[in-house]
Amino acid sequence: MMRLVAWGTLVLGCLYFLLPLLGMTEFSLKMRRGEYSLDAYRVVFADPRFWETFGYSLALSAATIVVGVVLVVPTAYWVRLRLPQARPFVEFVTLLPLVIPAIVIVFGYIRLYNTSSFLPLTGSAFGTDILLTMGYATLALPYMYRSVDTGLRTIDVGVLTEAAQSLGAGWFTILARIILPNVMVAVLSGAFLTLAIVMGEFTMAALLNRPAFGPYMQLLGANRAYEPPALAVIAFAITWGCMGLMQLVTRFAKHERAKA
Amino acid sequence: MSFLNLSHLEKSFGANRVVKDFNLAVEKGEFISLLGPSGCGKTTVLRMVAGFEVPTSGGIVIDGQDVTGLKANQRNIGMMFQAYALFPNLTVAENVAFGLKVKGVAKDRRDARVAEMLRLIGLPEMGGRYPFQLSGGQQQRVALARALAPSPRVLLLDEPLSALDAKVRVSLRNEIREIQRELGITTIFVTHDQEEALSMSDRVVVMNGGIAEQVGAPFEVYNRPATRFVATFVGTLNIFDGKVTGPETAEVAGVPVRLAEPVAVAQGARLSLALRPEAVHLGRKEGAEVVLPAVIQGVEFLGSIIRVRAEVAGSVVALDTFNRSDAPPPAIGTQAEVSLSGRDLIVLQD
Ligand SMILES: Nc1ncnc2c1ncn2[C@@H]1O[C@H](COP(=O)(O)OP(=O)(O)OP(=O)(O)O)[C@@H](O)[C@H]1O
Ligand SMILES: [Mg+2]
C-alpha cells in the first residue's frame, strides 16, 4: 500500500514536470499547418541574433567560470586550512545571492559603477561585460563554493599542504599543482552549473543592456508564436546536457578511484 | 657546535605550555628518536624544526644557519608524515620529482634522480603508478623517496610506521635505517613505540609533559634511566621497596645487596628499587646475591622468550627466561626460587 502511494506520488510529480515540456515540444513542432516539422527550429537557427547572443553568453559563461574558480578555490582552501571556525560565516555569505534578488544586485551595480562614479564600468561595452561577469560569478557563487568545498573534503588539505611546503613549494604552486587538480571534478561540476545559470540568466543582462541569450529568448517570446517554445526546448537541452556532463565527469572520477 | 641545535625551545598554545625548555644537539648523520606518551609534545617539537609551528621562544640552528624565522618551504628539510601524504593526483615518479621540480632542476637530471630514489626504496618499476594503486608500506616508501629526493639537510619522520601492520612495520623500519645510514642524513624520528625507538636510534630523547627527561643511547636509557618516568616508560620494570643501608649498599626484602653505583640518598631512607625482567632469574643462579622463594602465577610463551609472573615477597614480579627445548616452562601454582643481584638494581628516586 505504502509502495503504491509512493509510486503514485512519483508518477504524479513526473507528469507535473513532463506534461508542460511535452506540450511545449509538441507545439514547437507545429509551425507547418497540419503536420509536424522542425520549421521553428530552422527559423531559430537561421536567425543570426541567435548565434550572436548564444556565443556572447557562452563567452561570458567561460569568463564567469574562470572568475569563479580563481575566487572560490583559494578561498575555500584557505578557510579549510586556516579558518575552520569561519566556515559557517563564509557559507552564509556564499548563500546570500540565493536570498537577494538579482535585480537588487544589478541596481546596486548600476548605482556604484555608473558613468559618473569612481569606477565608470557601465561607460563602455567591455566595462559592462566585466560587470556582468562579476554579477554572474556572484549568482553562481553558492553552487561553485559548495561543490569545491565538498571536493576539498575528500583530501587531507592540511597534510598535503605541509608535504608540499616541506618540499619547497609556495602558495601558488600548492594551489595550482596540488589543490586544484585534486578538486577538478568538483570544479567541473560547479562550472557546468555556472554555465547553465549564465545561459538562462535574464535580469542582469537585460538591465545592463547586453546582447545575451536570456534577453533574446524573452524578446523572441514576446513577438513570435512557434519559435519561443523551440528556443525553450533548446535551452532545456543545454541545461540537461550540462547536467549529463556533470554526471559523466563524476562517474568517470569514481571509476578512477574504484580501481584502487 | 653540532649540526642541528635546538636551544631552549618553548611552545605554548594559549595558556597550554606544550614544550618546555627543550634542548637538543644532533650531530651530522645521527639518528635521533623522540619517544614519549601521547600528547607529550613530540610532534610539536618536530613541527617547529620543520617550520610548521613558530616557537614561542628559543632557537633552531641547522649547519650554522639560524632557521628559527624561516618559512617551512625555505628550510630544505625533508618530512615524512604518518600516512596519506602522497599527492593523489600525481604518479609515484611525479611525487618523487615534485621537490626537484619546485627547485627548478632540469628534466634529465630530475628523471635520473627519481630513478635513483625509486631504486633506493626498492620500487624501480612503480614510477607510473598512482598512490591509490600502492599498498600502505609502498606508499610510505614513496613518501620517503619524495622527502629525500631534493637532498634535504635534515630528515624528519612523524610516526611514519604507525598506520602499517606489524610485519611491514618491522621490515620498513630496518629499511629506513639502512637508507639513512647509506645517505648519512641527520634524522629525527618521532614515535611512541619504544621498541622502534630503541632498535633504530643512535640516541633516544625520552619526553614527558613537554620536557626532555633523558637524552642518551638506547643502552644507556634502558639500563641507566635518569628519572622515575624514564625507568617506568621504557621497558617493563619490577619495583621493590628497599632501604639504603650504606653509600653503595641496600636491603631488598631484608637481604643486603651491593649496588652498582653509589646513591646520593641518606642512609636508612626508604626508596624504590627496580629490576628489569631479564635481571630476575628463575631458579638458583651461580653468584646471585639474593635468592627468594616464589610461586608461579602466570606463564606467557613468546617464542624465544618465556615471560613468567611470580609472586615474590608479597609482590608480583615479571621475569624473562630464554626458551630451551629440553626445559619446559614451569607450571602455574608451583613453588620455585628466583635469584637477583644488587648490581642490576635501578634506584628510583622521586
Ligand atoms: N595547534 C594546536 N593548538 C592547540 N593545542 C595543540 C595544537 N597542537 C598540539 N596541541 C596540544 O599540544 C600537546 C602536544 O601535542 P603533540 O601533537 O606535540 O603531542 P605528541 O607527543 O605528538 O602526541 P601523539 O603521540 O599523540 O602524536 C597536546 O596536548 C595537544 O593537544
Ligand atoms: Mg604526534
Side-chain angles (χ1 to χ4, degrees), chain A residues 155-156 159-160 162-171 173 177-178 181-182 256-257 259-260, chain B residues 47 52 72-73 77 79 81 83-90 98-99 101-102 132 146-147 150:
Chain A
I155 56 173
D156 194 332
V159 171
L160 292 187
E162 290 181 352
Q165 279 179 330
S166 73
L167 292 165
W171 292 116
T173 310
R177 293 216 40 220
I178 307 299
N182 276 308
E256 276 288 312
R257 227 166 270 153
K259 276 193 295 191
Chain B
R47 290 173 59 81
F52 299 134
N73 60 358
I77 284 178
M79 178 118 181
F81 300 83
Y84 314 118
L86 291 182
F87 305 131
N89 58 311
L90 302 181
F98 187 87
K101 208 164 174 182
V102 167
F132 72 84
R146 181 180 67 178

mmCIF file of all heavy atoms in Angstrom, chain A residues 155-156 159-160 162-171 173 177-178 181-182 256-257 259-260, chain B residues 47 52 72-73 77 79 81 83-90 98-99 101-102 132 146-147 150:
data_model
loop_
_atom_site.group_PDB
_atom_site.id
_atom_site.type_symbol
_atom_site.label_atom_id
_atom_site.label_comp_id
_atom_site.label_asym_id
_atom_site.label_seq_id
_atom_site.Cartn_x
_atom_site.Cartn_y
_atom_site.Cartn_z
ATOM 1 N N ILE A 155 40.073 15.291 0.351
ATOM 2 C CA ILE A 155 41.527 15.187 0.515
ATOM 3 C C ILE A 155 41.933 15.772 1.857
ATOM 4 O O ILE A 155 41.194 16.559 2.445
ATOM 5 C CB ILE A 155 42.287 15.925 -0.617
ATOM 6 C CG1 ILE A 155 41.850 17.377 -0.701
ATOM 7 C CG2 ILE A 155 42.126 15.212 -1.927
ATOM 8 C CD1 ILE A 155 42.673 18.208 -1.664
ATOM 9 N N ASP A 156 43.117 15.374 2.353
ATOM 10 C CA ASP A 156 43.610 15.933 3.604
ATOM 11 C C ASP A 156 44.401 17.197 3.285
ATOM 12 O O ASP A 156 45.605 17.166 3.061
ATOM 13 C CB ASP A 156 44.476 14.905 4.338
ATOM 14 C CG ASP A 156 44.712 15.310 5.781
ATOM 15 O OD1 ASP A 156 44.694 16.532 6.057
ATOM 16 O OD2 ASP A 156 44.900 14.428 6.619
ATOM 17 N N VAL A 159 47.666 18.089 5.520
ATOM 18 C CA VAL A 159 48.858 17.258 5.332
ATOM 19 C C VAL A 159 49.467 17.480 3.946
ATOM 20 O O VAL A 159 50.687 17.624 3.808
ATOM 21 C CB VAL A 159 48.518 15.766 5.542
ATOM 22 C CG1 VAL A 159 49.689 14.898 5.127
ATOM 23 C CG2 VAL A 159 48.182 15.509 6.997
ATOM 24 N N LEU A 160 48.607 17.532 2.917
ATOM 25 C CA LEU A 160 49.133 17.734 1.566
ATOM 26 C C LEU A 160 49.845 19.082 1.468
ATOM 27 O O LEU A 160 50.902 19.205 0.843
ATOM 28 C CB LEU A 160 48.008 17.644 0.531
ATOM 29 C CG LEU A 160 47.383 16.264 0.357
ATOM 30 C CD1 LEU A 160 46.402 16.256 -0.800
ATOM 31 C CD2 LEU A 160 48.448 15.204 0.138
ATOM 32 N N GLU A 162 51.333 20.742 3.908
ATOM 33 C CA GLU A 162 52.611 20.701 4.619
ATOM 34 C C GLU A 162 53.632 19.858 3.870
ATOM 35 O O GLU A 162 54.819 20.205 3.830
ATOM 36 C CB GLU A 162 52.398 20.181 6.045
ATOM 37 C CG GLU A 162 51.652 21.205 6.882
ATOM 38 C CD GLU A 162 51.436 20.767 8.317
ATOM 39 O OE1 GLU A 162 51.724 19.603 8.631
ATOM 40 O OE2 GLU A 162 50.982 21.608 9.104
ATOM 41 N N ALA A 163 53.174 18.761 3.264
ATOM 42 C CA ALA A 163 54.102 17.947 2.478
ATOM 43 C C ALA A 163 54.691 18.788 1.351
ATOM 44 O O ALA A 163 55.902 18.777 1.123
ATOM 45 C CB ALA A 163 53.375 16.726 1.917
ATOM 46 N N ALA A 164 53.834 19.543 0.666
ATOM 47 C CA ALA A 164 54.317 20.369 -0.440
ATOM 48 C C ALA A 164 55.248 21.471 0.066
ATOM 49 O O ALA A 164 56.275 21.763 -0.536
ATOM 50 C CB ALA A 164 53.131 20.970 -1.191
ATOM 51 N N GLN A 165 54.889 22.069 1.210
ATOM 52 C CA GLN A 165 55.738 23.125 1.768
ATOM 53 C C GLN A 165 57.119 22.598 2.125
ATOM 54 O O GLN A 165 58.134 23.240 1.855
ATOM 55 C CB GLN A 165 55.088 23.724 3.015
ATOM 56 C CG GLN A 165 54.029 24.750 2.701
ATOM 57 C CD GLN A 165 53.392 25.293 3.951
ATOM 58 O OE1 GLN A 165 53.289 24.600 4.970
ATOM 59 N NE2 GLN A 165 52.967 26.536 3.902
ATOM 60 N N SER A 166 57.154 21.411 2.738
ATOM 61 C CA SER A 166 58.450 20.883 3.142
ATOM 62 C C SER A 166 59.301 20.558 1.918
ATOM 63 O O SER A 166 60.519 20.459 2.010
ATOM 64 C CB SER A 166 58.287 19.655 4.033
ATOM 65 O OG SER A 166 57.876 18.554 3.264
ATOM 66 N N LEU A 167 58.649 20.400 0.749
ATOM 67 C CA LEU A 167 59.401 20.158 -0.483
ATOM 68 C C LEU A 167 59.746 21.470 -1.182
ATOM 69 O O LEU A 167 60.225 21.468 -2.312
ATOM 70 C CB LEU A 167 58.601 19.250 -1.410
ATOM 71 C CG LEU A 167 58.445 17.819 -0.889
ATOM 72 C CD1 LEU A 167 57.368 17.081 -1.645
ATOM 73 C CD2 LEU A 167 59.764 17.063 -0.987
ATOM 74 N N GLY A 168 59.455 22.578 -0.526
ATOM 75 C CA GLY A 168 59.878 23.875 -1.035
ATOM 76 C C GLY A 168 58.819 24.651 -1.803
ATOM 77 O O GLY A 168 59.103 25.723 -2.321
ATOM 78 N N ALA A 169 57.596 24.128 -1.894
ATOM 79 C CA ALA A 169 56.578 24.787 -2.711
ATOM 80 C C ALA A 169 55.987 26.006 -2.011
ATOM 81 O O ALA A 169 55.797 25.997 -0.803
ATOM 82 C CB ALA A 169 55.466 23.793 -3.054
ATOM 83 N N GLY A 170 55.696 27.043 -2.797
ATOM 84 C CA GLY A 170 54.996 28.221 -2.297
ATOM 85 C C GLY A 170 53.503 28.081 -2.526
ATOM 86 O O GLY A 170 53.040 27.080 -3.073
ATOM 87 N N TRP A 171 52.735 29.101 -2.124
ATOM 88 C CA TRP A 171 51.269 29.001 -2.169
ATOM 89 C C TRP A 171 50.753 28.776 -3.575
ATOM 90 O O TRP A 171 49.846 27.974 -3.792
ATOM 91 C CB TRP A 171 50.618 30.256 -1.568
ATOM 92 C CG TRP A 171 50.847 30.341 -0.105
ATOM 93 C CD1 TRP A 171 51.554 31.305 0.565
ATOM 94 C CD2 TRP A 171 50.401 29.413 0.889
ATOM 95 N NE1 TRP A 171 51.569 31.021 1.897
ATOM 96 C CE2 TRP A 171 50.878 29.881 2.139
ATOM 97 C CE3 TRP A 171 49.663 28.235 0.849
ATOM 98 C CZ2 TRP A 171 50.630 29.207 3.326
ATOM 99 C CZ3 TRP A 171 49.413 27.566 2.028
ATOM 100 C CH2 TRP A 171 49.891 28.065 3.246
ATOM 101 N N THR A 173 52.187 27.386 -6.215
ATOM 102 C CA THR A 173 52.463 26.015 -6.658
ATOM 103 C C THR A 173 51.517 25.033 -5.976
ATOM 104 O O THR A 173 50.985 24.118 -6.613
ATOM 105 C CB THR A 173 53.919 25.638 -6.315
ATOM 106 O OG1 THR A 173 54.769 26.676 -6.775
ATOM 107 C CG2 THR A 173 54.312 24.326 -6.955
ATOM 108 N N ARG A 177 49.207 23.096 -8.477
ATOM 109 C CA ARG A 177 49.663 21.744 -8.822
ATOM 110 C C ARG A 177 49.094 20.663 -7.906
ATOM 111 O O ARG A 177 49.075 19.494 -8.259
ATOM 112 C CB ARG A 177 51.190 21.688 -8.799
ATOM 113 C CG ARG A 177 51.788 22.544 -9.910
ATOM 114 C CD ARG A 177 53.033 21.935 -10.517
ATOM 115 N NE ARG A 177 52.961 20.504 -10.685
ATOM 116 C CZ ARG A 177 53.978 19.678 -10.447
ATOM 117 N NH1 ARG A 177 55.115 20.148 -10.006
ATOM 118 N NH2 ARG A 177 53.835 18.396 -10.641
ATOM 119 N N ILE A 178 48.655 21.044 -6.708
ATOM 120 C CA ILE A 178 48.145 20.027 -5.785
ATOM 121 C C ILE A 178 46.653 20.195 -5.540
ATOM 122 O O ILE A 178 45.864 19.274 -5.770
ATOM 123 C CB ILE A 178 48.899 20.078 -4.436
ATOM 124 C CG1 ILE A 178 50.405 19.996 -4.659
ATOM 125 C CG2 ILE A 178 48.413 18.974 -3.512
ATOM 126 C CD1 ILE A 178 50.878 18.735 -5.337
ATOM 127 N N PRO A 181 44.105 20.399 -9.039
ATOM 128 C CA PRO A 181 43.907 19.110 -9.730
ATOM 129 C C PRO A 181 43.111 18.104 -8.900
ATOM 130 O O PRO A 181 42.362 17.310 -9.460
ATOM 131 C CB PRO A 181 45.334 18.604 -9.954
ATOM 132 C CG PRO A 181 46.194 19.798 -9.877
ATOM 133 C CD PRO A 181 45.532 20.740 -8.929
ATOM 134 N N ASN A 182 43.246 18.182 -7.588
ATOM 135 C CA ASN A 182 42.540 17.219 -6.752
ATOM 136 C C ASN A 182 41.067 17.541 -6.573
ATOM 137 O O ASN A 182 40.299 16.679 -6.151
ATOM 138 C CB ASN A 182 43.220 17.099 -5.386
ATOM 139 C CG ASN A 182 44.380 16.139 -5.428
ATOM 140 O OD1 ASN A 182 44.231 15.008 -5.871
ATOM 141 N ND2 ASN A 182 45.531 16.591 -5.003
ATOM 142 N N GLU A 256 37.702 5.953 -11.666
ATOM 143 C CA GLU A 256 39.142 6.047 -11.440
ATOM 144 C C GLU A 256 39.495 5.546 -10.042
ATOM 145 O O GLU A 256 40.431 4.802 -9.849
ATOM 146 C CB GLU A 256 39.594 7.510 -11.549
ATOM 147 C CG GLU A 256 39.867 7.953 -12.960
ATOM 148 C CD GLU A 256 41.141 7.321 -13.499
ATOM 149 O OE1 GLU A 256 42.169 7.344 -12.821
ATOM 150 O OE2 GLU A 256 41.073 6.784 -14.601
ATOM 151 N N ARG A 257 38.707 6.001 -9.079
ATOM 152 C CA ARG A 257 39.024 5.686 -7.690
ATOM 153 C C ARG A 257 38.696 4.232 -7.366
ATOM 154 O O ARG A 257 39.369 3.592 -6.586
ATOM 155 C CB ARG A 257 38.225 6.623 -6.766
ATOM 156 C CG ARG A 257 39.102 7.222 -5.695
ATOM 157 C CD ARG A 257 38.398 8.372 -5.016
ATOM 158 N NE ARG A 257 38.659 9.628 -5.681
ATOM 159 C CZ ARG A 257 37.837 10.665 -5.662
ATOM 160 N NH1 ARG A 257 36.705 10.595 -5.039
ATOM 161 N NH2 ARG A 257 38.154 11.779 -6.265
ATOM 162 N N LYS A 259 39.155 1.747 -8.978
ATOM 163 C CA LYS A 259 40.170 0.800 -9.414
ATOM 164 C C LYS A 259 41.129 0.426 -8.284
ATOM 165 O O LYS A 259 41.843 -0.559 -8.384
ATOM 166 C CB LYS A 259 40.965 1.411 -10.576
ATOM 167 C CG LYS A 259 40.263 1.212 -11.913
ATOM 168 C CD LYS A 259 41.168 1.531 -13.095
ATOM 169 C CE LYS A 259 41.547 2.986 -13.125
ATOM 170 N NZ LYS A 259 42.195 3.391 -14.365
ATOM 171 N N ALA A 260 41.136 1.235 -7.230
ATOM 172 C CA ALA A 260 42.117 1.044 -6.149
ATOM 173 C C ALA A 260 41.960 -0.315 -5.479
ATOM 174 O O ALA A 260 40.895 -0.883 -5.460
ATOM 175 C CB ALA A 260 41.958 2.136 -5.108
ATOM 176 N N ARG B 47 57.463 19.702 14.419
ATOM 177 C CA ARG B 47 56.843 20.720 13.559
ATOM 178 C C ARG B 47 57.540 22.065 13.683
ATOM 179 O O ARG B 47 57.549 22.855 12.742
ATOM 180 C CB ARG B 47 55.358 20.843 13.871
ATOM 181 C CG ARG B 47 54.551 19.619 13.415
ATOM 182 C CD ARG B 47 53.118 19.674 13.888
ATOM 183 N NE ARG B 47 52.430 20.857 13.396
ATOM 184 C CZ ARG B 47 51.913 20.945 12.176
ATOM 185 N NH1 ARG B 47 51.978 19.932 11.366
ATOM 186 N NH2 ARG B 47 51.327 22.055 11.783
ATOM 187 N N PHE B 52 56.536 24.404 10.628
ATOM 188 C CA PHE B 52 55.078 24.479 10.602
ATOM 189 C C PHE B 52 54.516 25.134 11.845
ATOM 190 O O PHE B 52 53.363 25.536 11.880
ATOM 191 C CB PHE B 52 54.471 23.083 10.441
ATOM 192 C CG PHE B 52 54.884 22.404 9.167
ATOM 193 C CD1 PHE B 52 55.300 21.099 9.166
ATOM 194 C CD2 PHE B 52 54.854 23.094 7.961
ATOM 195 C CE1 PHE B 52 55.687 20.477 7.994
ATOM 196 C CE2 PHE B 52 55.238 22.488 6.781
ATOM 197 C CZ PHE B 52 55.661 21.170 6.803
ATOM 198 N N ALA B 72 58.646 27.267 6.245
ATOM 199 C CA ALA B 72 58.856 25.828 6.025
ATOM 200 C C ALA B 72 59.447 25.551 4.651
ATOM 201 O O ALA B 72 60.307 24.683 4.504
ATOM 202 C CB ALA B 72 57.530 25.086 6.190
ATOM 203 N N ASN B 73 59.015 26.288 3.633
ATOM 204 C CA ASN B 73 59.488 25.980 2.282
ATOM 205 C C ASN B 73 60.864 26.573 1.980
ATOM 206 O O ASN B 73 61.355 26.465 0.872
ATOM 207 C CB ASN B 73 58.448 26.404 1.238
ATOM 208 C CG ASN B 73 58.152 27.879 1.288
ATOM 209 O OD1 ASN B 73 58.695 28.593 2.129
ATOM 210 N ND2 ASN B 73 57.293 28.347 0.410
ATOM 211 N N ILE B 77 64.219 20.945 4.426
ATOM 212 C CA ILE B 77 64.104 19.849 5.372
ATOM 213 C C ILE B 77 63.117 18.844 4.793
ATOM 214 O O ILE B 77 62.059 19.238 4.304
ATOM 215 C CB ILE B 77 63.608 20.379 6.733
ATOM 216 C CG1 ILE B 77 64.749 21.091 7.444
ATOM 217 C CG2 ILE B 77 63.050 19.250 7.582
ATOM 218 C CD1 ILE B 77 64.357 21.696 8.757
ATOM 219 N N MET B 79 60.389 15.835 5.087
ATOM 220 C CA MET B 79 59.466 15.403 6.137
ATOM 221 C C MET B 79 58.631 14.231 5.634
ATOM 222 O O MET B 79 58.195 14.197 4.496
ATOM 223 C CB MET B 79 58.564 16.577 6.522
ATOM 224 C CG MET B 79 57.533 16.238 7.553
ATOM 225 S SD MET B 79 57.770 17.212 9.045
ATOM 226 C CE MET B 79 56.453 16.580 10.069
ATOM 227 N N PHE B 81 55.248 11.948 6.786
ATOM 228 C CA PHE B 81 54.109 12.038 7.693
ATOM 229 C C PHE B 81 53.564 10.656 8.024
ATOM 230 O O PHE B 81 53.980 9.657 7.449
ATOM 231 C CB PHE B 81 53.013 12.893 7.072
ATOM 232 C CG PHE B 81 53.455 14.290 6.770
ATOM 233 C CD1 PHE B 81 54.138 14.584 5.595
ATOM 234 C CD2 PHE B 81 53.212 15.318 7.660
ATOM 235 C CE1 PHE B 81 54.565 15.875 5.317
ATOM 236 C CE2 PHE B 81 53.634 16.608 7.394
ATOM 237 C CZ PHE B 81 54.304 16.884 6.218
ATOM 238 N N ALA B 83 50.650 9.214 7.403
ATOM 239 C CA ALA B 83 50.055 8.487 6.290
ATOM 240 C C ALA B 83 49.344 9.452 5.363
ATOM 241 O O ALA B 83 49.130 10.612 5.700
ATOM 242 C CB ALA B 83 49.062 7.446 6.798
ATOM 243 N N TYR B 84 48.989 8.950 4.215
ATOM 244 C CA TYR B 84 48.148 9.656 3.254
ATOM 245 C C TYR B 84 48.690 11.025 2.871
ATOM 246 O O TYR B 84 47.940 11.964 2.703
ATOM 247 C CB TYR B 84 46.722 9.803 3.808
ATOM 248 C CG TYR B 84 46.196 8.544 4.399
ATOM 249 C CD1 TYR B 84 45.856 8.451 5.736
ATOM 250 C CD2 TYR B 84 46.090 7.404 3.606
ATOM 251 C CE1 TYR B 84 45.410 7.267 6.279
ATOM 252 C CE2 TYR B 84 45.638 6.220 4.149
ATOM 253 C CZ TYR B 84 45.297 6.161 5.472
ATOM 254 O OH TYR B 84 44.856 4.985 5.997
ATOM 255 N N ALA B 85 49.985 11.141 2.753
ATOM 256 C CA ALA B 85 50.544 12.442 2.407
ATOM 257 C C ALA B 85 51.045 12.503 0.976
ATOM 258 O O ALA B 85 51.507 13.540 0.545
ATOM 259 C CB ALA B 85 51.664 12.803 3.373
ATOM 260 N N LEU B 86 50.926 11.410 0.221
ATOM 261 C CA LEU B 86 51.310 11.475 -1.193
ATOM 262 C C LEU B 86 50.261 12.284 -1.943
ATOM 263 O O LEU B 86 49.084 12.265 -1.596
ATOM 264 C CB LEU B 86 51.407 10.067 -1.789
ATOM 265 C CG LEU B 86 52.560 9.200 -1.285
ATOM 266 C CD1 LEU B 86 52.545 7.849 -1.997
ATOM 267 C CD2 LEU B 86 53.898 9.881 -1.481
ATOM 268 N N PHE B 87 50.715 12.988 -2.983
ATOM 269 C CA PHE B 87 49.775 13.776 -3.772
ATOM 270 C C PHE B 87 48.972 12.822 -4.637
ATOM 271 O O PHE B 87 49.517 12.175 -5.535
ATOM 272 C CB PHE B 87 50.527 14.790 -4.629
ATOM 273 C CG PHE B 87 51.445 15.673 -3.825
ATOM 274 C CD1 PHE B 87 52.757 15.860 -4.202
ATOM 275 C CD2 PHE B 87 50.990 16.302 -2.677
ATOM 276 C CE1 PHE B 87 53.607 16.663 -3.460
ATOM 277 C CE2 PHE B 87 51.825 17.095 -1.927
ATOM 278 C CZ PHE B 87 53.133 17.280 -2.313
ATOM 279 N N PRO B 88 47.645 12.712 -4.414
ATOM 280 C CA PRO B 88 46.862 11.680 -5.097
ATOM 281 C C PRO B 88 46.782 11.899 -6.598
ATOM 282 O O PRO B 88 46.552 10.945 -7.336
ATOM 283 C CB PRO B 88 45.473 11.787 -4.456
ATOM 284 C CG PRO B 88 45.503 12.918 -3.506
ATOM 285 C CD PRO B 88 46.866 13.526 -3.484
ATOM 286 N N ASN B 89 46.967 13.140 -7.049
ATOM 287 C CA ASN B 89 46.812 13.418 -8.480
ATOM 288 C C ASN B 89 48.095 13.186 -9.266
ATOM 289 O O ASN B 89 48.089 13.297 -10.479
ATOM 290 C CB ASN B 89 46.358 14.867 -8.673
ATOM 291 C CG ASN B 89 47.327 15.855 -8.061
ATOM 292 O OD1 ASN B 89 47.731 15.696 -6.907
ATOM 293 N ND2 ASN B 89 47.720 16.849 -8.797
ATOM 294 N N LEU B 90 49.185 12.871 -8.592
ATOM 295 C CA LEU B 90 50.459 12.675 -9.279
ATOM 296 C C LEU B 90 50.878 11.207 -9.198
ATOM 297 O O LEU B 90 50.578 10.522 -8.220
ATOM 298 C CB LEU B 90 51.549 13.546 -8.643
ATOM 299 C CG LEU B 90 51.299 15.060 -8.613
ATOM 300 C CD1 LEU B 90 52.479 15.774 -7.977
ATOM 301 C CD2 LEU B 90 51.043 15.607 -10.000
ATOM 302 N N PHE B 98 58.566 16.008 -7.354
ATOM 303 C CA PHE B 98 57.928 17.288 -7.011
ATOM 304 C C PHE B 98 58.910 18.320 -6.442
ATOM 305 O O PHE B 98 58.988 19.453 -6.911
ATOM 306 C CB PHE B 98 56.783 17.039 -6.022
ATOM 307 C CG PHE B 98 55.966 18.271 -5.731
ATOM 308 C CD1 PHE B 98 54.898 18.620 -6.534
ATOM 309 C CD2 PHE B 98 56.269 19.095 -4.656
ATOM 310 C CE1 PHE B 98 54.147 19.751 -6.278
ATOM 311 C CE2 PHE B 98 55.532 20.238 -4.396
ATOM 312 C CZ PHE B 98 54.466 20.556 -5.207
ATOM 313 N N GLY B 99 59.670 17.896 -5.429
ATOM 314 C CA GLY B 99 60.599 18.825 -4.783
ATOM 315 C C GLY B 99 61.677 19.320 -5.731
ATOM 316 O O GLY B 99 62.089 20.480 -5.668
ATOM 317 N N LYS B 101 61.344 19.597 -9.016
ATOM 318 C CA LYS B 101 60.707 20.490 -9.972
ATOM 319 C C LYS B 101 60.548 21.884 -9.362
ATOM 320 O O LYS B 101 60.821 22.887 -10.009
ATOM 321 C CB LYS B 101 59.341 19.916 -10.356
ATOM 322 C CG LYS B 101 58.889 20.312 -11.733
ATOM 323 C CD LYS B 101 57.755 19.431 -12.208
ATOM 324 C CE LYS B 101 57.218 19.921 -13.524
ATOM 325 N NZ LYS B 101 56.096 19.129 -14.001
ATOM 326 N N VAL B 102 60.109 21.903 -8.091
ATOM 327 C CA VAL B 102 59.958 23.182 -7.404
ATOM 328 C C VAL B 102 61.295 23.919 -7.360
ATOM 329 O O VAL B 102 61.372 25.137 -7.530
ATOM 330 C CB VAL B 102 59.417 22.955 -5.975
ATOM 331 C CG1 VAL B 102 59.547 24.213 -5.143
ATOM 332 C CG2 VAL B 102 57.974 22.490 -6.028
ATOM 333 N N PHE B 132 47.001 5.516 -5.119
ATOM 334 C CA PHE B 132 45.935 4.602 -4.681
ATOM 335 C C PHE B 132 46.150 3.178 -5.178
ATOM 336 O O PHE B 132 45.477 2.255 -4.742
ATOM 337 C CB PHE B 132 44.548 5.137 -5.089
ATOM 338 C CG PHE B 132 44.251 5.042 -6.557
ATOM 339 C CD1 PHE B 132 43.764 3.857 -7.101
ATOM 340 C CD2 PHE B 132 44.435 6.137 -7.390
ATOM 341 C CE1 PHE B 132 43.481 3.770 -8.445
ATOM 342 C CE2 PHE B 132 44.152 6.044 -8.740
ATOM 343 C CZ PHE B 132 43.679 4.858 -9.271
ATOM 344 N N ARG B 146 60.329 10.664 -1.787
ATOM 345 C CA ARG B 146 59.967 12.031 -2.126
ATOM 346 C C ARG B 146 60.662 13.026 -1.200
ATOM 347 O O ARG B 146 61.155 14.068 -1.631
ATOM 348 C CB ARG B 146 58.441 12.203 -2.026
ATOM 349 C CG ARG B 146 57.970 13.589 -2.391
ATOM 350 C CD ARG B 146 56.471 13.722 -2.279
ATOM 351 N NE ARG B 146 56.029 13.617 -0.889
ATOM 352 C CZ ARG B 146 54.765 13.734 -0.503
ATOM 353 N NH1 ARG B 146 53.830 13.926 -1.401
ATOM 354 N NH2 ARG B 146 54.444 13.628 0.764
ATOM 355 N N ALA B 147 60.716 12.664 0.101
ATOM 356 C CA ALA B 147 61.349 13.563 1.061
ATOM 357 C C ALA B 147 62.859 13.648 0.823
ATOM 358 O O ALA B 147 63.461 14.693 1.028
ATOM 359 C CB ALA B 147 61.060 13.092 2.485
ATOM 360 N N PRO B 150 65.149 15.810 -2.917
ATOM 361 C CA PRO B 150 65.844 17.100 -3.049
ATOM 362 C C PRO B 150 67.079 17.227 -2.151
ATOM 363 O O PRO B 150 67.545 18.337 -1.960
ATOM 364 C CB PRO B 150 64.772 18.116 -2.645
ATOM 365 C CG PRO B 150 63.519 17.366 -2.417
ATOM 366 C CD PRO B 150 63.897 15.956 -2.171
#
